[in-house]
Amino acid sequence: MAALNKEISNLHDLLDYDARNLLSGEMQLKQVIHDWTNRANAFKLKEVLSKYLIFIEKHIVVLTGFFAEEKMFSQALASKPMQAFIQSCNEKLQQCADPEVSDACLLSCIQEINHYKISSYGTAAAFANTLGMEKFAAVFHEAEVNEKQIDDRLSQLAEHDINIRARAPISLPNV
């Protein structure tokens, strides 16, 4: 077992650190994605978020396998970036009074998370490739591709549906 807070002294240590951060982030996201899916109003948004949960669960399994093969303790790191993304999203959602605007907010928050994860998985794939860890380079690359697929679906949904409805929501007067 590697030390929980060991010094990062080479590329392999950096990959391990980043992978722990990714695993922690995926686990944190898994805890909130169900609530966010339930909060979504548009059926198509719920559908994409449900698909995203499947990818998140797959990524957790794959990352756990990485740590098992590396004989590393994987739960040591709490992903501060993911904590910040989740907190920011929840704060914005609390401010949304209209369901259509709430959907646009949620969609944009998920895309922020996607962009972070696309970058992180791409970097992990590059590190693994450089280290001659082809199996894990492929695993990290596949996770990057999954994130890009969800991002593309969300972009299409935003452009052709969610953002249009949020632009001019129907406001009912308070009675």
Side-chain angles (χ1 to χ4, degrees), residues 131-158:
L131 293 166
M133 302 169 76
E134 289 83 13
K135 174 184 172 185
F136 289 112
V139 163
F140 292 131
H141 177 71
E142 181 181 345
E144 177 188 13
V145 168
N146 293 158
E147 295 297 327
K148 286 179 179 179
Q149 288 173 351
I150 292 296
D151 185 57
D152 287 344
R153 288 180 182 168
L154 289 171
S155 291
Q156 291 297 315
L157 187 57

